[in-house]
Amino acid sequence: MTETPWLQLRGITTYFAENNVTANDAVDLDIASGSVHALVGENGAGKSTLMHVLSGYISAGAGRIEVDGKSIQVRSPADALTHGIVMVHQHPPYVPGFRVWENIVLGMERTGRAGLLDRRTAADMVTACASRYGISVDPHARMNRLAASQIHFVALLGALLRRPRLLILDEPTAPCTEPEVALMFALLRSLQAQGTSIILITHKLGEVMQIADRVTVMRNGAVVATTAVAETTAARIAELMIGEESEIIDFDRRLIQALAGDRHAAGVTGLHSRPSRALPTARDSTLELHKVSVYVGDLAVLDNINITAQAGEVLGVTGIRENGLEFLEDVLSGSIAPDRGVVLLDGKPVKRYSPRHFRHIGISYIPTDRILRGASMDSTVAENLILLQRKELQSGGILRRKDIAAFTEELKRRYGITGVLHQPMKRLSGGNIQKVILSRELSGLRKVVVFSEPSWGLDLRSRDLMYSEMRALRDEGALVVLISADIDEVLSLADRIAVMYRGRIAGILEAQDRTRERIGEFMLGFQEHNITAAGDRSNG
Amino acid sequence: MAEKPAASRAPLRAQTPETVVALLAALLVTVLLLVFGSPNPARALRAFFLGPFSNRYYFGNMLDGAGLLLIAGLGVSAAFRAGVFNLGGDGQIYIAGLVAAVVCLALPQAPAVFGIVLALVAAVAVGMLLAGVCGLFKYLWGTDELITSFLISAAIVPSVSYLIVGPLRNQQSNLLTTERIAEQFRLLRLLPPSNLNLALLFALLLAPLAHFLLYHTVRGYELRITGLNREFARYGGIAIGAYTAVPMAISGGLHGLSGAFAVLGTHHAAIQGFTIGLGWNAIAVALIGRNHPLLIIPAALVFAYMEAGARAAMLHTEFSFELGAIIQAVIFFMITAHVALPRLRLHLRGRSTAA
């Protein structure tokens, strides 16, 4: 891409007084028209803040934005839109009860006579735009019925209808399955061909190499480097993201290798210095799902599931989202009771299906939904940390302040949680929220630990901490279940891998015969009838 | 964290100034009403601002009103804090007042302590029952406690009024009232001739106690966690069913206590409509105090002051009774609009996505 830059950011500086953070420090950025520009960096590097400035959601303290060499003012998203700048957020906001088309036209309603919303035109417009870009979504579906990835596509559709000259996408592929990623990339290429510029914020370097023309690496609020993708490697980018002055440089080197290459081939074992242990780990437990089925209406979302996991192993469960992983998560955590079948711990059926009982019998659980289920965002960090130990930290019903302070300080130190213990949880970054959840879940008896999508949205360091914890648990003899739609994650961590397809276990792969390709075949249902491990289906 | 736009944490940080803004707005509208609604604005304003401090009688009555508001306000926040809503406070206070009066009237010869304790227990029990039942229904069948508590209260208010003006009426009095309770049950007056009595001291002890229970005990911790994020509480193994019914019952019990003190301390009889509005004003007080037990103390004082000022303006000028009521309504609206609506919207949104 050799065109003159269409958009220029010069000296953008954003300072948040409330927590004394300089999120952007004199950032310069050039965007050529019709290019895909990737923006990478660890959590908290300032990528999203910069894009929020560009799209008018927040205002920069200093700096200027130029389009075609002319300085422009972007005070609101509406200002940004007049210059053709549209952003799709990482978690697109939407009105739950609204239909898809209603959400899309929100803010650009065309009214007919008497100020009434012209429904048919609006819905038709949405359908036309969707089919032009090959997106399949029912314009009349209710938003709260959609999967996370579909919500992303709806948000993208809304952005496209506004005919952007610059489309900013914040982690657009995070909730997507592989076919959806392919669809999204095809869409981005066709936009690019029409002259639309795209800024792509992502954690996935493979995607950068695949789709981007140029890449800008940010670290601690500043631009570290901007380079053409053709002239660099994923390893070099990873190196730039982490930084070379880091004190734990040896760890970073190996991590960089691991990330740049095939993650599971390089192995991520024991990179992180593991926190020391004070609490016991149970051994010899078994966890079994016996003929477990869950129905939503007539549909079996879990269909006759039979799996057994042993102490000292990591059982991976993978599959494309919407094939039952989320229901398996709910059954294994006691959040829902199976309609048929039982869950057995150490050979005994569990007495009740409630998170309370499951905790009581020793099943810890790190949920997919960290904000709603895994944390209380308005409570303090300390209050989040003591949730499971509240009974141990009291005498006669009264909380022991000193012991709580010691306990929470200890967890904070051991897991390297950055944040103030008496501040609300919502002040923490995504990586630190997950560290709080992890440290809390491992603060009790470690017997069975269920991890669900543990590395979503985490940066490299936090992800590595998570992985080394998981391995350590297994080596100590705990039973670990890893539910993850990320094949690479499951391949690198799990001892055995169960693959789900349409609510069934399509296959269980042992160590010797697992490859990406085999798993992929099971995920897509090609292999279903050949397998032996799926168990008795006679009453399913 | 730098990655989220600052807007995500704006609502909570902005709450303290917003409360102040709401109070100032209420004050401003009140002043405007006094200036334009009264033939003698200077006198009305003087009465409004200085009236509550002009003599022992007004001052004591203001403090007495603050005490009752404080207890009921703590009751409102007990439910709020657990994420449930008790909108039936008005009816709970009213019927508890009647029950306290009836207990005392039934035992005119009983020793003081015995009668007082029995009246308090009975009043608290009836409040707990009425609110607790709404919490229990929510737990069992998911009925909306906001609606049930409001409806039950709406049915109770006229029923209690009927009992006071009908079967239990004191025929010798010109007022629509029950007979006065026996001397020994009346709480010690602190600032005669005003109504101020021992109940205020009790209320002032109750607030720190509530603070201790909320912030220093496991149950308080569990209650707050449940109120802030039910799903998280459930995930953490907290028995969230219990934290639906029990806080409602506690809320009702505190409202009941407030009603009992209105009889034993303030009025010495159950008079028709004598506590009407107290339950609603307590909601405003809890909101001004951000549901924090210790902040509810100044909130109750400020609210009682504005209420007493409005009453003084009404009595000392040609200001009509209706305008006095309008001022109270304005105060209530301003507070709820600024403080409660964002919370309520959040609450309702939570419900619709959960469904």
Side-chain angles (χ1 to χ4, degrees):
Chain A
M1 293 287 130
T2 50
E3 290 113 297
T4 48
W6 163 68
L7 176 89
Q8 294 179 308
L9 302 186
R10 285 294 172 266
I12 300 291
T13 301
T14 316
Y15 173 72
F16 292 114
E18 63 215 69
N19 43 10
N20 190 24
V21 167
T22 305
N24 294 143
D25 190 4
V27 172
D28 294 350
L29 189 68
D30 292 346
I31 304 293
S33 92
S35 73
V36 177
H37 198 117
L39 196 54
V40 300
E42 294 199 278
N43 289 343
K47 310 173 300 261
S48 297
T49 304
L50 183 66
M51 291 301 108
H52 284 132
V53 168
L54 179 54
S55 54
Y57 287 93
I58 53 179
S59 53
R64 61 179 199 278
I65 302 171
E66 290 178 9
V67 170
D68 292 327
K70 271 171 285 192
S71 185
I72 62 165
Q73 293 292 321
V74 182
R75 291 198 196 85
S76 67
D79 276 357
L81 185 59
T82 60
H83 298 286
I85 300 169
V86 179
M87 176 159 182
V88 178
H89 293 266
Q90 190 176 359
H91 304 286
Y94 61 90
V95 189
F98 269 29
R99 295 179 192 283
V100 166
W101 71 264
E102 289 173 313
N103 257 281
I104 289 176
V105 301
L106 197 67
M108 54 184 287
E109 300 90 342
R110 288 184 193 179
T111 46
R113 259 173 248 135
L116 294 172
L117 194 60
D118 188 345
R119 286 164 174 263
R120 189 179 295 165
T121 315
D124 286 352
M125 192 170 71
V126 170
T127 313
C129 185
S131 64
R132 189 177 335 133
Y133 291 105
I135 301 172
S136 66
V137 60
D138 174 9
H140 297 288
R142 298 245 183 232
M143 288 305 287
N144 43 356
R145 305 255 174 232
L146 299 186
S149 62
Q150 287 174 302
I151 288 168
H152 251 271
F153 274 101
V154 169
L156 183 57
L157 203 52
L160 293 176
L161 270 171
R162 286 159 173 82
R163 302 190 179 283
R165 287 181 69 193
L166 171 67
L167 184 63
I168 303 167
L169 303 173
D170 193 350
E171 295 281 355
T173 60
C176 292
T177 61
E178 293 201 11
E180 285 170 335
V181 173
L183 173 67
M184 175 130 1
F185 282 3
L187 194 158
L188 295 188
R189 288 213 177 81
S190 77
L191 283 172
Q192 189 185 7
Q194 295 162 25
T196 307
S197 307
I198 292 153
I199 297 180
L200 183 69
I201 301 179
T202 181
H203 276 132
K204 298 177 183 168
L205 299 185
E207 291 181 357
V208 173
M209 303 311 288
Q210 197 184 338
I211 187 129
D213 302 312
R214 294 181 71 77
V215 55
T216 291
V217 182
M218 289 187 73
R219 191 169 72 229
N220 298 332
V223 170
V224 180
T226 299
T227 168
V229 168
E231 291 162 12
T232 189
T233 60
R236 179 65 195 146
I237 298 174
E239 212 170 277
L240 289 167
M241 280 166 69
I242 290 180
E244 283 129 322
E245 77 283 5
S246 172
E247 46 198 77
I248 35 174
I249 196 148
D250 191 39
F251 144 66
D252 286 335
R253 276 279 136 67
R254 277 180 289 156
L255 181 58
I256 290 161
Q257 285 167 7
L259 274 152
D262 189 345
R263 207 186 324 158
H264 81 99
V268 199
T269 31
L271 284 175
H272 207 283
S273 58
R274 200 163 52 70
S276 60
R277 294 272 172 239
L279 288 151
T281 305
R283 293 156 203 274
D284 314 322
S285 21
T286 60
L287 180 69
E288 185 183 355
L289 295 190
H290 181 68
K291 295 184 177 175
V292 165
S293 295
V294 170
Y295 295 90
V296 172
D298 289 338
L299 180 71
V301 289
L302 286 185
D303 190 357
N304 199 33
I305 302 284
N306 290 288
I307 338 176
T308 307
Q310 303 289 341
E313 78 165 345
V314 176
L315 172 70
V317 183
T318 190
I320 297 172
R321 280 271 132 191
E322 308 296 306
N323 278 273
L325 294 186
E326 46 285 320
F327 290 98
L328 195 70
E329 176 188 346
D330 281 350
V331 168
L332 281 175
S333 60
S335 302
I336 58 172
D339 294 307
R340 287 189 197 175
V342 283
V343 176
L344 299 99
L345 182 68
D346 301 337
K348 284 177 297 219
V350 299
K351 288 203 192 85
R352 256 173 298 124
Y353 292 90
S354 74
R356 189 178 164 82
H357 185 62
F358 273 50
R359 291 229 175 262
H360 184 68
I361 58 178
I363 300 178
S364 300
Y365 158 51
I366 289 152
T368 306
D369 191 334
R370 295 168 207 154
I371 307 300
L372 204 64
R373 187 177 278 182
S376 175
M377 300 307 274
D378 291 321
S379 303
T380 66
V381 175
E383 285 172 342
N384 272 275
L385 284 169
I386 65 168
L387 179 71
L388 302 182
Q389 296 302 313
R390 60 186 187 274
K391 299 275 162 61
E392 276 66 40
L393 294 166
Q394 51 111 26
S395 5
I398 295 162
L399 293 167
R400 296 197 307 267
R401 294 256 134 179
K402 274 190 189 153
D403 291 353
I404 288 177
F407 173 77
T408 52
E409 280 295 344
E410 169 66 9
L411 287 188
K412 183 182 166 190
R413 193 186 54 73
R414 227 196 274 167
Y415 289 86
I417 297 162
T418 324
V420 184
L421 288 171
H422 63 259
Q423 274 198 345
M425 192 74 175
K426 61 184 162 197
R427 297 282 180 83
L428 296 192
S429 70
N432 277 308
I433 288 174
Q434 185 70 321
K435 278 186 200 168
V436 168
I437 298 172
L438 178 73
S439 63
R440 179 187 62 219
E441 292 303 312
L442 302 185
S443 68
L445 172 73
R446 282 180 288 274
K447 180 171 171 138
V448 175
V449 187
V450 178
F451 289 81
S452 187
E453 303 296 354
S455 64
W456 266 11
L458 292 196
D459 62 26
L460 313 177
R461 261 180 250 261
S462 318
R463 187 176 301 189
D464 184 62
L465 171 70
M466 180 70 64
Y467 290 169
S468 45
E469 278 298 318
M470 214 181 289
R471 287 170 202 277
L473 276 170
R474 177 195 54 194
D475 296 345
E476 284 165 17
L479 190 163
V480 179
V481 180
L482 167 64
I483 300 173
S484 171
D486 181 343
I487 298 186
D488 294 324
E489 182 168 281
V490 175
L491 270 172
S492 72
L493 290 164
D495 298 301
R496 285 188 305 140
I497 300 174
V499 186
M500 296 200 67
Y501 174 69
R502 294 200 173 163
R504 287 190 290 275
I505 299 286
I508 296 179
L509 297 160
E510 301 293 334
Q512 62 279 8
D513 58 3
R514 48 187 230 198
T515 59
R516 265 185 134 268
E517 291 66 36
R518 290 265 295 169
I519 294 177
E521 286 169 7
F522 281 121
M523 271 182 157
L524 296 167
F526 296 154
Q527 282 273 345
E528 219 204 324
H529 15 265
N530 298 348
I531 50 140
T532 50
D536 171 20
R537 203 173 290 130
S538 56
N539 61 350
Chain B
M1 58 178 285
E3 294 251 330
K4 281 242 171 80
S8 63
R9 59 180 98 89
L12 208 109
R13 303 194 100 226
Q15 227 172 41
T16 321
E18 265 194 26
T19 313
V20 176
V21 168
L23 279 172
L24 290 177
L27 210 58
L28 181 74
V29 175
T30 308
V31 167
L32 289 176
L33 273 173
L34 288 171
V35 168
F36 293 106
S38 162
N40 189 344
R43 238 173 80 194
L45 285 175
R46 200 184 146 76
F48 178 78
F49 285 106
L50 301 179
F53 303 106
S54 59
N55 59 46
R56 282 157 67 107
Y57 181 73
Y58 286 159
F59 185 66
N61 280 0
M62 177 186 80
L63 290 182
D64 181 50
L68 297 180
L69 274 173
L70 173 53
I71 298 172
L74 290 171
V76 172
S77 69
F80 259 141
R81 273 304 181 114
V84 285
F85 291 77
N86 179 6
L87 286 192
D90 228 27
Q92 290 151 20
I93 294 169
Y94 198 25
I95 194 172
L98 179 68
V99 166
V102 166
V103 167
C104 292
L105 291 173
L107 306 163
Q109 305 301 327
V113 175
F114 176 76
I116 290 171
V117 169
L118 195 66
L120 288 176
V121 167
V124 168
V126 77
M128 288 182 84
L129 180 74
L130 285 177
V133 112
C134 303
L136 190 67
F137 286 0
K138 184 190 176 77
Y139 170 61
L140 292 176
W141 305 305
T143 52
D144 198 324
E145 81 286 355
L146 212 135
I147 308 288
T148 49
S149 63
F150 174 77
L151 288 181
I152 291 178
S153 167
I156 278 178
V157 169
S159 311
V160 171
S161 288
Y162 161 74
L163 291 173
I164 293 174
V165 302
L168 299 174
R169 176 161 180 203
N170 176 6
Q171 302 297 341
Q172 272 75 56
S173 171
N174 293 327
L175 292 170
L176 295 170
T177 173
T178 63
E179 289 187 36
R180 289 169 70 78
I181 58 173
E183 291 279 348
Q184 73 269 28
F185 302 134
R186 301 177 189 175
L187 297 180
L188 179 67
R189 288 270 154 106
L190 299 178
L191 201 63
S194 82
N195 293 336
L196 185 63
N197 60 78
L198 277 179
L200 176 73
L201 297 185
F202 190 86
L204 287 175
L205 289 176
L206 207 56
L209 178 69
H211 181 264
F212 178 80
L213 291 174
L214 201 54
Y215 286 96
H216 294 265
T217 66
V218 180
R219 303 274 183 222
Y221 168 80
E222 293 184 344
L223 183 140
R224 286 185 293 121
I225 292 285
T226 308
L228 289 170
N229 185 344
R230 283 188 103 67
E231 176 64 17
F232 176 69
R234 193 171 100 93
Y235 157 87
I238 293 173
I240 56 171
Y243 289 100
T244 309
V246 174
M248 279 299 276
I250 293 172
S251 172
L254 286 167
H255 280 113
L257 193 61
S258 174
F261 281 139
V263 169
L264 301 178
T266 309
H267 297 284
H268 301 164
I271 307 160
Q272 195 214 355
F274 73 132
T275 62
I276 292 303
L278 181 55
W280 297 106
N281 292 341
I283 292 177
V285 165
L287 289 171
I288 299 171
R290 298 175 62 190
N291 292 306
H292 190 291
L294 297 181
L295 290 181
I296 291 177
I297 299 175
L301 285 169
V302 167
F303 199 94
Y305 167 63
M306 290 175 85
E307 215 186 355
R311 205 178 305 127
M314 196 175 80
L315 289 173
H316 283 262
T317 66
E318 303 72 17
F319 213 62
S320 74
F321 180 77
E322 285 74 15
L323 274 171
I326 288 173
I327 286 176
Q328 288 202 17
V330 163
I331 296 170
F332 183 76
F333 271 124
M334 288 292 174
I335 303 296
T336 41
H338 278 77
V339 186
L341 285 186
R343 293 181 61 111
L344 193 66
R345 209 173 295 139
L346 209 71
H347 173 76
L348 293 175
R349 198 190 310 148
R351 285 182 186 203
S352 68
T353 45

